[in-house]
Amino acid sequence: MGLNYRLLVLVFLLFANLSAQTSKAKIDSINAILVQNSAIKTDSLFTIFQQNLENAQTLNYPKGIGEAFQKIATLYGYEGDLDARLEYNFKALRIFEQHELRMEEAYLNAEIGYQMKRDDMTKAEAYMNRGMKLAEQEVYENVLDRIYNNYGVLKEMQGQLDSALYFYEKGLELVKKRDFTEGYPYSYSNLGGVYGQQGKYDLARNYFEKARQIREEIGDQKGIAENFTQIGEVYLAEGKNQEAISYFKKAVPVAHAQDYRFLEQYTYQQLSQAYKNLRQTDSALFYLERYGVFKDSINGLEVNKKIAELNLNYETEKKENQILEQRAQLAEKDLEVRRKNAFIYGSLALAFILGLLGYLIYSRQKLKNSQLQKEHELQVALAKIETQNRLQEQRLRISRDLHDNIGSQLTFIISSIDNLKYQLKDADSGILEKLSMISAFTSTTINELRDTIWAMNKEKISVEDLQTRISNFIERAQSSKDSVQFSFDFNTKQAPDFIFTSIEGVNIYRVIQEAVNNALKYAEAQNIQVTMQVWDADQFKVAVVDDGNGFDLKNHQQGNGLGNMKKRVQDIGATLQIETQPTQGTRVILQSK
């Protein structure tokens, strides 16, 4: 009893562990979603990662918790809530430090430094260096490329363009080494930004365009919007305002569709500047106003609150009287609303119950149909197996009858002919020759009977089995005609486990047998070469080549031999090619289609 209990506990723990591992893998797969090129809306991503965080906390899975915090921080960054982004990143960093998740700790230190770049460059560099040193010590190449790129941005912001290029190129080297598709656009965009500042405008646009093309391939819509804006900035720096406006206008709808508010705000500002340069004041003012609206919505929440408070104080006195009147109306309507709600909720509950009952009935019927289908398939499979077994039994019975009855009778005939030849040794030479021919024919018949029995006893014939059979036949042919040189080349290296059906095996064997016999009987060949090659996907090729008399294929009257060969080849769905000319020998090629 105790042993059974312990076994049950062990099985339970095993399944619990497997379930936990499965759940952790699911959490990791959700955390692996790239926010940058996700087609999912930002609000939906918030819900997804928040639920993933709760699942990781339920499992007490530190890596999943930290990475979920980090994803939520990234989403806040896209919304322009920089304080919330920093708060969630620090939550993630504490998790990584406590549980010694060094690679995650290295990357997040660098990421926090990158996010501080506009507020406190000294702290930004400190965090960035801490993450970079840790990643370099442990050689975390799959995060070092991003760290180098982000550190290059800090150098670029400080006007240290040569240092920025150095780190961007280091990041690009690692991206190429890893063949990290998602990493190429960041490196290209960063390099384009530096070249733009250096006045190398064509080179800058080239890098931004390369980044955009890759982002098109991987579906990174936020990155595409960034590249449109960056190309527009290059044109703006060149003084090509119309071209700049074209690209800024491409960026705005993509950024808006992706809820990328910070970029949308910035692009409106750039559009306003471009129209200002063209002295189109109406358009410049329009986009400046759009910029102001976004700036207020992203960065001026406190101002909005104060404005709301002033509006509230202003409207309070006016609305107090309205509120008193509305209370009376609301009291009357409240009862009516409650009655309607009760009716609606009751109807919904009834509909839900009916729907649930319908679904249960449907599911039960579907399960029943599925079981019936499986039972039918099982019956069909059993019947097929039973039929195959009966066919195999019948095949074995026929082959035994052939071997025991006809084989023994043919052997008796040969023995009787040999006795007759001995008794009639003084008889006419013509009679003895006829008896010898009958004996030889009977021996040949026995060999062919054995070949037939060999094929009947098998559902499938292996390459090795067919090779052995052909080799035995060639040995017999060699012994019957010493003056002829035979060669047999069987190449199975590409498919050592190649399998023929019994019909394919026996028909290939018969075609080779017929071709060799024709070369011996009619062609007066001195050299006969038999080759066979097999390879994957049921492909094979057989060739019988002799240096005999050959014949004129066009004017040759086809006998039973060639007709039988063609019929056998058709039966196995293969092709037969005969190449011959008088005095030039003959090539018989059998090949699968």
Side-chain angles (χ1 to χ4, degrees):
M1 184 71 176
L3 178 60
N4 290 336
Y5 175 75
R6 285 194 294 272
L7 285 172
L8 286 173
V9 171
L10 181 62
V11 170
F12 173 77
L13 290 174
L14 176 62
F15 277 102
N17 182 59
L18 287 173
S19 177
Q21 292 296 330
T22 303
S23 299
K24 288 179 181 179
K26 183 178 180 182
I27 289 169
D28 287 340
S29 68
I30 293 174
N31 281 334
I33 295 172
L34 286 174
V35 175
Q36 292 86 340
N37 62 357
S38 175
I40 305 171
K41 289 287 188 182
T42 303
D43 291 342
S44 300
L45 286 172
F46 265 117
T47 303
I48 291 169
F49 288 123
Q50 190 64 46
Q51 183 61 54
N52 209 38
L53 172 61
E54 293 174 8
N55 293 339
Q57 289 170 333
T58 301
L59 282 178
N60 193 23
Y61 179 32
K63 181 175 179 289
I65 295 170
E67 289 182 343
F69 277 137
Q70 194 174 345
K71 290 294 183 180
I72 294 171
T74 302
L75 291 172
Y76 276 122
Y78 279 114
E79 287 207 326
D81 192 341
L82 306 184
D83 290 337
R85 179 177 69 180
L86 202 56
E87 175 190 350
Y88 274 86
N89 271 331
F90 277 122
K91 286 182 180 181
L93 185 59
R94 283 192 290 273
I95 293 290
F96 295 150
E97 289 173 345
Q98 289 169 5
H99 296 277
E100 298 184 350
L101 297 165
R102 296 301 184 205
M103 184 173 70
E104 290 79 5
E105 179 187 347
Y107 176 68
L108 189 52
N109 266 294
E111 182 67 15
I112 291 172
Y114 181 74
Q115 292 167 8
M116 288 182 171
K117 62 185 181 293
R118 299 187 189 279
D119 302 319
D120 190 332
M121 183 60 74
T122 303
K123 285 185 179 179
E125 287 210 84
Y127 275 101
M128 183 69 77
N129 277 305
R130 186 185 307 168
M132 186 163 58
K133 287 178 181 178
L134 182 56
E136 286 176 339
Q137 286 171 3
E138 303 294 337
V139 196
Y140 295 138
E141 290 187 346
N142 55 334
V143 298
L144 264 174
D145 60 336
R146 286 170 282 177
I147 293 175
Y148 286 148
N149 271 297
N150 288 343
Y151 195 55
V153 173
L154 267 61
K155 293 298 181 183
E156 184 180 341
M157 290 178 66
Q158 297 175 75
Q160 301 173 19
L161 299 184
D162 289 339
S163 295
L165 279 175
Y166 171 77
F167 283 102
Y168 290 155
E169 286 170 355
K170 284 187 72 173
L172 182 57
E173 286 177 10
L174 288 178
V175 168
K176 289 179 177 178
K177 182 178 179 181
R178 294 172 54 212
D179 195 20
F180 179 42
T181 303
E182 287 79 2
Y184 282 104
Y186 294 101
S187 293
Y188 290 152
S189 294
N190 289 334
L191 287 167
V194 174
Y195 289 130
Q197 292 182 61
Q198 291 179 338
K200 301 175 181 178
Y201 300 125
D202 290 337
L203 188 57
R205 273 193 297 272
N206 180 50
Y207 273 104
F208 287 138
E209 187 60 32
K210 286 169 70 175
R212 188 190 65 79
Q213 288 174 2
I214 295 174
R215 282 168 167 160
E216 289 278 6
E217 293 173 4
I218 64 177
D220 181 0
Q221 296 299 313
K222 292 182 175 70
I224 292 167
E226 289 178 354
N227 289 140
F228 281 142
T229 298
Q230 289 163 335
I231 295 171
E233 287 178 310
V234 175
Y235 279 119
L236 192 63
E238 282 188 280
K240 298 179 179 179
N241 295 289
Q242 290 291 359
E243 291 86 347
I245 289 168
S246 173
Y247 276 92
F248 290 144
K249 286 186 175 181
K250 289 179 182 179
V252 167
V254 181
H256 183 77
Q258 295 299 312
D259 216 9
Y260 196 171
R261 299 173 189 176
F262 184 81
L263 182 67
E264 189 174 356
Q265 170 202 337
Y266 176 76
T267 308
Y268 284 139
Q269 184 185 31
Q270 297 300 100
L271 277 165
S272 176
Q273 183 61 49
Y275 279 114
K276 182 180 178 182
N277 295 342
L278 292 171
R279 301 183 184 278
Q280 297 181 19
T281 55
D282 290 345
S283 297
L285 182 60
F286 171 77
Y287 284 108
L288 186 61
E289 289 175 351
R290 297 298 300 271
Y291 163 73
V293 169
F294 269 81
K295 183 178 180 182
D296 290 341
S297 66
I298 294 173
N299 301 321
L301 296 178
E302 292 300 323
V303 174
N304 288 341
K305 288 181 181 178
K306 290 180 181 178
I307 293 172
E309 289 175 1
L310 291 173
N311 287 333
L312 181 62
N313 291 333
Y314 176 79
E315 296 289 338
T316 297
E317 185 177 354
K318 181 180 178 181
K319 290 184 178 179
E320 281 180 350
N321 294 330
Q322 295 177 354
I323 291 172
L324 291 172
E325 293 176 4
Q326 289 173 355
R327 281 180 180 174
Q329 295 174 358
L330 289 172
E332 293 176 3
K333 292 182 179 179
D334 184 55
L335 181 60
E336 183 181 355
V337 170
R338 288 182 181 179
R339 289 173 181 170
K340 289 182 178 179
N341 287 343
F343 175 76
I344 291 170
Y345 293 146
S347 300
L348 289 174
L350 179 61
F352 175 75
I353 292 170
L354 292 174
L356 182 60
L357 287 173
Y359 174 74
L360 291 173
I361 294 170
Y362 169 76
S363 298
R364 185 175 179 182
Q365 185 62 38
K366 185 177 179 181
L367 179 61
K368 184 177 179 181
N369 292 340
S370 177
Q371 289 175 340
L372 290 173
Q373 178 67 22
K374 288 180 180 178
E375 289 177 3
H376 174 70
E377 290 173 356
L378 180 60
Q379 290 174 355
V380 171
L382 290 173
K384 186 176 180 181
I385 292 170
E386 185 177 354
T387 301
Q388 290 175 344
N389 289 338
R390 287 179 179 175
L391 287 172
Q392 183 63 17
E393 291 174 1
Q394 186 75 359
R395 189 185 290 114
L396 291 173
R397 185 183 64 77
I398 293 171
S399 64
R400 283 197 298 269
D401 288 345
L402 288 172
H403 182 273
D404 295 343
N405 295 332
I406 299 176
S408 60
Q409 291 173 8
L410 290 173
T411 303
F412 175 75
I413 290 171
I414 292 173
S415 177
S416 298
I417 291 171
D418 289 342
N419 288 333
L420 280 173
K421 285 170 63 179
Y422 178 77
Q423 293 174 9
L424 299 173
K425 59 185 176 181
D426 297 328
D428 184 83
S429 60
I431 295 173
L432 293 176
E433 185 177 351
K434 288 288 185 183
L435 290 173
S436 296
M437 289 174 60
I438 294 170
S439 177
F441 177 77
T442 307
S443 297
T444 302
T445 304
I446 290 175
N447 288 331
E448 292 183 355
L449 179 63
R450 287 172 180 167
D451 292 336
T452 302
I453 293 170
W454 161 72
M456 287 184 66
N457 280 333
K458 298 176 179 292
E459 289 186 10
K460 295 181 178 180
I461 297 174
S462 67
V463 166
E464 184 179 359
D465 200 2
L466 182 59
Q467 180 182 6
T468 302
R469 208 75 191 176
I470 296 170
S471 296
N472 290 340
F473 165 70
I474 290 175
E475 286 179 7
R476 291 197 303 270
Q478 179 74 70
S479 63
S480 68
K481 207 130 184 183
D482 294 336
S483 61
V484 179
Q485 295 297 318
F486 284 89
S487 65
F488 180 35
D489 183 16
F490 207 97
N491 186 356
T492 63
K493 291 181 180 178
Q494 293 182 354
D497 299 325
F498 196 98
I499 296 295
F500 296 98
T501 65
S502 58
I503 294 174
E504 287 176 338
V506 73
N507 281 334
I508 291 170
Y509 176 77
R510 292 298 190 200
V511 169
I512 294 172
Q513 191 179 44
E514 183 67 31
V516 170
N517 286 336
N518 286 343
L520 290 173
K521 291 179 182 179
Y522 308 117
E524 297 180 4
Q526 297 301 310
N527 294 282
I528 299 175
Q529 181 183 20
V530 180
T531 61
M532 184 168 188
Q533 182 181 6
V534 297
W535 54 91
D536 290 339
D538 299 331
Q539 298 295 306
F540 60 86
K541 180 179 179 181
V542 176
V544 180
V545 180
D546 67 68
D547 61 353
N549 296 331
F551 57 92
D552 186 351
L553 189 60
K554 294 181 180 179
N555 299 321
H556 179 73
Q557 185 175 1
Q558 182 174 302
N560 290 334
L562 291 179
N564 289 338
M565 289 166 68
K566 291 180 179 180
K567 179 63 170 60
R568 291 184 184 278
V569 170
Q570 288 176 359
D571 289 345
I572 62 175
T575 62
L576 183 68
Q577 184 179 356
I578 300 175
E579 301 172 358
T580 183
Q581 289 183 11
T583 73
Q584 298 297 317
T586 302
R587 290 170 56 89
V588 178
I589 301 172
L590 186 157
Q591 188 169 0
S592 56
K593 290 184 179 178

